[in-house]
Short mmCIF file of all heavy atoms in Angstrom, two decimals:
data_model
loop_
_atom_site.label_atom_id
_atom_site.label_comp_id
_atom_site.label_asym_id
_atom_site.label_seq_id
_atom_site.Cartn_x
_atom_site.Cartn_y
_atom_site.Cartn_z
N VAL M 717 136.64 136.04 187.18
CA VAL M 717 136.76 135.80 185.72
C VAL M 717 135.82 136.81 185.05
O VAL M 717 134.71 137.04 185.48
CB VAL M 717 136.42 134.36 185.32
CG1 VAL M 717 134.98 133.99 185.71
CG2 VAL M 717 136.60 134.15 183.84
N THR M 718 136.31 137.44 184.00
CA THR M 718 135.52 138.36 183.23
C THR M 718 135.14 137.73 181.89
O THR M 718 135.98 137.15 181.20
CB THR M 718 136.35 139.65 182.98
OG1 THR M 718 136.62 140.30 184.22
CG2 THR M 718 135.56 140.64 182.08
N VAL M 719 133.84 137.83 181.59
CA VAL M 719 133.31 137.15 180.40
C VAL M 719 132.72 138.19 179.46
O VAL M 719 131.81 138.93 179.85
CB VAL M 719 132.27 136.09 180.79
CG1 VAL M 719 131.88 135.27 179.56
CG2 VAL M 719 132.78 135.17 181.89
N THR M 720 133.24 138.21 178.24
CA THR M 720 132.65 139.12 177.22
C THR M 720 131.74 138.30 176.29
O THR M 720 131.96 137.10 176.07
CB THR M 720 133.76 139.77 176.39
OG1 THR M 720 134.54 138.74 175.76
CG2 THR M 720 134.67 140.61 177.28
N ALA M 721 130.74 138.98 175.78
CA ALA M 721 129.80 138.31 174.85
C ALA M 721 128.99 139.38 174.15
O ALA M 721 128.77 140.48 174.70
CB ALA M 721 128.88 137.38 175.64
N PRO M 722 128.43 139.06 172.98
CA PRO M 722 127.57 140.02 172.32
C PRO M 722 126.12 139.98 172.84
O PRO M 722 125.36 140.91 172.63
CB PRO M 722 127.61 139.57 170.85
CG PRO M 722 127.98 138.12 170.89
CD PRO M 722 128.86 137.96 172.09
N MET M 723 125.75 138.86 173.53
CA MET M 723 124.36 138.74 174.03
C MET M 723 124.39 138.21 175.45
O MET M 723 125.19 137.35 175.82
CB MET M 723 123.54 137.79 173.15
CG MET M 723 123.31 138.28 171.73
SD MET M 723 122.38 139.85 171.62
CE MET M 723 120.90 139.44 172.51
N PHE M 724 123.48 138.78 176.31
CA PHE M 724 123.34 138.38 177.69
C PHE M 724 121.89 138.07 178.00
O PHE M 724 120.97 138.78 177.56
CB PHE M 724 123.85 139.52 178.62
CG PHE M 724 125.31 139.78 178.50
CD1 PHE M 724 125.79 140.55 177.45
CD2 PHE M 724 126.23 139.22 179.38
CE1 PHE M 724 127.16 140.82 177.29
CE2 PHE M 724 127.58 139.46 179.27
CZ PHE M 724 128.06 140.26 178.21
N VAL M 725 121.68 137.03 178.81
CA VAL M 725 120.36 136.66 179.29
C VAL M 725 120.37 136.68 180.82
O VAL M 725 121.19 136.00 181.44
CB VAL M 725 119.93 135.26 178.79
CG1 VAL M 725 118.59 134.86 179.41
CG2 VAL M 725 119.84 135.22 177.27
N ASP M 726 119.50 137.46 181.42
CA ASP M 726 119.37 137.47 182.89
C ASP M 726 118.24 136.49 183.27
O ASP M 726 117.07 136.77 183.14
CB ASP M 726 119.02 138.86 183.38
CG ASP M 726 119.00 138.93 184.92
OD1 ASP M 726 119.09 137.91 185.58
OD2 ASP M 726 118.85 140.07 185.45
N ALA M 727 118.65 135.30 183.73
CA ALA M 727 117.71 134.27 184.18
C ALA M 727 117.88 134.05 185.70
O ALA M 727 117.55 132.97 186.18
CB ALA M 727 117.95 132.98 183.42
N SER M 728 118.38 135.04 186.40
CA SER M 728 118.57 134.94 187.84
C SER M 728 117.26 135.03 188.58
O SER M 728 116.27 135.53 188.05
CB SER M 728 119.56 136.00 188.34
OG SER M 728 119.02 137.29 188.08
N GLU M 729 117.24 134.59 189.84
CA GLU M 729 116.01 134.53 190.57
C GLU M 729 115.46 135.92 190.92
O GLU M 729 114.26 136.08 191.13
CB GLU M 729 116.20 133.75 191.85
CG GLU M 729 116.49 132.25 191.64
CD GLU M 729 115.34 131.52 190.96
OE1 GLU M 729 114.18 131.87 191.24
OE2 GLU M 729 115.62 130.64 190.14
N GLN M 730 116.34 136.89 191.06
CA GLN M 730 115.88 138.24 191.45
C GLN M 730 116.32 139.33 190.49
O GLN M 730 116.40 140.51 190.91
CB GLN M 730 116.36 138.54 192.89
CG GLN M 730 115.76 137.61 193.92
CD GLN M 730 116.01 138.11 195.31
OE1 GLN M 730 115.11 138.67 195.95
NE2 GLN M 730 117.18 137.88 195.85
N GLY M 731 116.61 138.97 189.25
CA GLY M 731 117.01 139.99 188.29
C GLY M 731 118.32 140.65 188.68
O GLY M 731 118.48 141.86 188.62
N ASP M 732 119.33 139.84 189.01
CA ASP M 732 120.58 140.34 189.56
C ASP M 732 121.36 141.22 188.56
O ASP M 732 122.12 142.11 188.97
CB ASP M 732 121.48 139.18 189.99
CG ASP M 732 120.85 138.37 191.12
OD1 ASP M 732 119.98 138.94 191.82
OD2 ASP M 732 121.28 137.20 191.33
N VAL M 733 121.20 140.96 187.26
CA VAL M 733 121.98 141.73 186.28
C VAL M 733 121.45 143.15 186.16
O VAL M 733 122.20 144.04 185.76
CB VAL M 733 121.93 140.99 184.92
CG1 VAL M 733 122.66 141.79 183.82
CG2 VAL M 733 122.53 139.61 185.03
N LEU M 734 120.21 143.37 186.49
CA LEU M 734 119.58 144.69 186.23
C LEU M 734 120.26 145.81 187.01
O LEU M 734 120.65 146.81 186.41
CB LEU M 734 118.10 144.58 186.54
CG LEU M 734 117.34 143.47 185.80
CD1 LEU M 734 115.84 143.56 186.10
CD2 LEU M 734 117.59 143.55 184.30
N PRO M 735 120.44 145.72 188.33
CA PRO M 735 121.12 146.79 189.02
C PRO M 735 122.61 146.90 188.65
O PRO M 735 123.13 148.02 188.64
CB PRO M 735 120.93 146.47 190.51
CG PRO M 735 120.66 145.02 190.58
CD PRO M 735 119.93 144.69 189.30
N LEU M 736 123.24 145.78 188.34
CA LEU M 736 124.66 145.80 187.99
C LEU M 736 124.88 146.60 186.69
O LEU M 736 125.90 147.25 186.51
CB LEU M 736 125.18 144.37 187.77
CG LEU M 736 125.58 143.60 189.01
CD1 LEU M 736 126.06 142.20 188.60
CD2 LEU M 736 126.67 144.29 189.80
N THR M 737 123.92 146.51 185.78
CA THR M 737 124.09 147.14 184.45
C THR M 737 123.30 148.44 184.30
O THR M 737 123.24 149.02 183.22
CB THR M 737 123.62 146.16 183.36
OG1 THR M 737 122.26 145.78 183.61
CG2 THR M 737 124.48 144.91 183.32
N ASN M 738 122.68 148.88 185.41
CA ASN M 738 121.88 150.10 185.39
C ASN M 738 120.70 149.97 184.41
O ASN M 738 120.27 150.97 183.82
CB ASN M 738 122.71 151.34 185.09
CG ASN M 738 123.68 151.68 186.19
OD1 ASN M 738 123.34 151.59 187.39
ND2 ASN M 738 124.89 152.03 185.82
N THR M 739 120.23 148.75 184.24
CA THR M 739 119.01 148.53 183.41
C THR M 739 117.79 148.93 184.22
O THR M 739 117.68 148.58 185.38
CB THR M 739 118.93 147.07 182.98
OG1 THR M 739 120.10 146.71 182.22
CG2 THR M 739 117.68 146.81 182.16
N GLU M 740 116.91 149.69 183.61
CA GLU M 740 115.73 150.17 184.33
C GLU M 740 114.83 149.00 184.74
O GLU M 740 114.57 148.09 183.93
CB GLU M 740 114.95 151.15 183.45
CG GLU M 740 115.69 152.45 183.16
CD GLU M 740 116.73 152.39 182.10
OE1 GLU M 740 116.88 151.29 181.47
OE2 GLU M 740 117.42 153.36 181.85
N TYR M 741 114.37 149.02 185.98
CA TYR M 741 113.54 147.93 186.45
C TYR M 741 112.53 148.43 187.50
O TYR M 741 112.66 149.58 188.00
CB TYR M 741 114.37 146.79 187.04
CG TYR M 741 115.17 147.11 188.27
CD1 TYR M 741 114.63 147.01 189.54
CD2 TYR M 741 116.50 147.55 188.19
CE1 TYR M 741 115.35 147.30 190.70
CE2 TYR M 741 117.26 147.83 189.29
CZ TYR M 741 116.66 147.69 190.57
OH TYR M 741 117.41 148.01 191.69
N VAL M 742 111.57 147.60 187.79
CA VAL M 742 110.51 147.89 188.76
C VAL M 742 110.54 146.85 189.87
O VAL M 742 110.84 145.69 189.61
CB VAL M 742 109.13 147.89 188.05
CG1 VAL M 742 108.01 148.15 189.03
CG2 VAL M 742 109.11 148.89 186.91
N THR M 743 110.18 147.21 191.07
CA THR M 743 109.94 146.27 192.14
C THR M 743 108.59 146.57 192.76
O THR M 743 108.08 147.70 192.70
CB THR M 743 111.01 146.27 193.23
OG1 THR M 743 110.99 147.57 193.86
CG2 THR M 743 112.37 145.97 192.68
N GLY M 744 107.96 145.55 193.33
CA GLY M 744 106.75 145.75 194.15
C GLY M 744 105.54 146.11 193.32
O GLY M 744 105.40 145.75 192.16
N PHE M 745 104.61 146.84 193.94
CA PHE M 745 103.27 147.06 193.42
C PHE M 745 103.23 148.42 192.67
O PHE M 745 103.55 149.46 193.24
CB PHE M 745 102.31 147.11 194.58
CG PHE M 745 100.97 146.40 194.31
CD1 PHE M 745 100.28 145.81 195.35
CD2 PHE M 745 100.40 146.41 193.05
CE1 PHE M 745 99.06 145.18 195.11
CE2 PHE M 745 99.19 145.79 192.81
CZ PHE M 745 98.51 145.18 193.86
N GLU M 746 102.82 148.41 191.43
CA GLU M 746 102.57 149.62 190.68
C GLU M 746 101.24 150.25 191.11
O GLU M 746 100.35 149.55 191.65
CB GLU M 746 102.54 149.36 189.18
CG GLU M 746 103.84 148.82 188.61
CD GLU M 746 103.89 147.28 188.66
OE1 GLU M 746 103.08 146.64 189.37
OE2 GLU M 746 104.80 146.74 188.00
N SER M 747 101.04 151.52 190.86
CA SER M 747 99.79 152.17 191.18
C SER M 747 98.76 151.98 190.07
O SER M 747 99.12 151.65 188.94
CB SER M 747 100.02 153.69 191.41
OG SER M 747 100.27 154.31 190.16
N ARG M 748 97.53 152.23 190.41
CA ARG M 748 96.45 152.14 189.43
C ARG M 748 96.63 153.17 188.32
O ARG M 748 96.34 152.93 187.15
CB ARG M 748 95.09 152.28 190.09
CG ARG M 748 93.90 151.94 189.19
CD ARG M 748 92.59 152.05 189.91
NE ARG M 748 92.52 151.12 191.05
CZ ARG M 748 92.49 151.49 192.30
NH1 ARG M 748 92.49 152.77 192.61
NH2 ARG M 748 92.42 150.60 193.28
N ASP M 749 97.17 154.35 188.67
CA ASP M 749 97.43 155.37 187.64
C ASP M 749 98.46 154.87 186.63
O ASP M 749 98.39 155.22 185.43
CB ASP M 749 97.88 156.63 188.29
CG ASP M 749 96.74 157.42 188.96
OD1 ASP M 749 95.59 157.13 188.65
OD2 ASP M 749 97.07 158.32 189.75
N GLN M 750 99.39 154.11 187.09
CA GLN M 750 100.49 153.63 186.22
C GLN M 750 100.01 152.54 185.26
O GLN M 750 100.42 152.49 184.10
CB GLN M 750 101.65 153.08 187.05
CG GLN M 750 102.43 154.16 187.78
CD GLN M 750 103.47 153.57 188.71
OE1 GLN M 750 103.18 152.66 189.48
NE2 GLN M 750 104.69 154.10 188.64
N THR M 751 99.14 151.64 185.73
CA THR M 751 98.81 150.45 184.98
C THR M 751 97.34 150.35 184.58
O THR M 751 96.99 149.60 183.67
CB THR M 751 99.16 149.19 185.76
OG1 THR M 751 98.32 149.09 186.93
CG2 THR M 751 100.60 149.19 186.18
N GLY M 752 96.47 151.07 185.27
CA GLY M 752 95.02 150.93 185.02
C GLY M 752 94.46 149.65 185.54
O GLY M 752 93.27 149.32 185.29
N GLU M 753 95.22 148.90 186.31
CA GLU M 753 94.72 147.58 186.79
C GLU M 753 93.68 147.75 187.93
O GLU M 753 93.96 148.51 188.88
CB GLU M 753 95.91 146.75 187.30
CG GLU M 753 96.86 146.35 186.20
CD GLU M 753 98.11 145.68 186.74
OE1 GLU M 753 98.78 146.27 187.61
OE2 GLU M 753 98.44 144.59 186.28
N PRO M 754 92.57 147.08 187.84
CA PRO M 754 91.53 147.25 188.87
C PRO M 754 91.98 146.92 190.26
O PRO M 754 91.51 147.54 191.24
CB PRO M 754 90.44 146.28 188.41
CG PRO M 754 90.65 146.12 186.94
CD PRO M 754 92.13 146.22 186.74
N HIS M 755 92.89 145.93 190.42
CA HIS M 755 93.34 145.53 191.77
C HIS M 755 94.59 146.26 192.24
O HIS M 755 95.11 145.96 193.31
CB HIS M 755 93.57 144.01 191.79
CG HIS M 755 92.32 143.21 191.80
ND1 HIS M 755 91.62 142.94 190.63
CD2 HIS M 755 91.60 142.66 192.78
CE1 HIS M 755 90.57 142.21 190.88
NE2 HIS M 755 90.53 142.03 192.19
N ALA M 756 95.10 147.22 191.46
CA ALA M 756 96.28 147.98 191.87
C ALA M 756 95.88 149.03 192.90
O ALA M 756 94.78 149.51 192.92
CB ALA M 756 96.95 148.63 190.65
N PRO M 757 96.82 149.41 193.77
CA PRO M 757 96.51 150.42 194.80
C PRO M 757 96.59 151.83 194.24
O PRO M 757 97.08 152.08 193.10
CB PRO M 757 97.63 150.19 195.85
CG PRO M 757 98.78 149.71 195.01
CD PRO M 757 98.18 148.87 193.89
#
């Protein structure tokens, strides 16, 4: 079934809509250079 709508909410457990729609996303651990976080690698 194909569903059209003006608004979409991705509330899936693993962000399933993101790769399907080519929405930019991140996985895993960012670097300290990227975030400035003291505990980042």
Side-chain angles (χ1 to χ4, degrees):
V717 60
T718 296
V719 188
T720 59
M723 294 299 303
F724 294 83
V725 175
D726 185 353
S728 62
E729 294 297 324
Q730 296 192 100
D732 296 339
V733 177
L734 306 183
L736 279 179
T737 57
N738 293 319
T739 300
E740 293 79 4
Y741 65 87
V742 178
T743 63
F745 220 149
E746 299 89 345
S747 71
R748 191 177 299 113
D749 284 344
Q750 290 173 312
T751 67
E753 294 173 305
H755 287 81

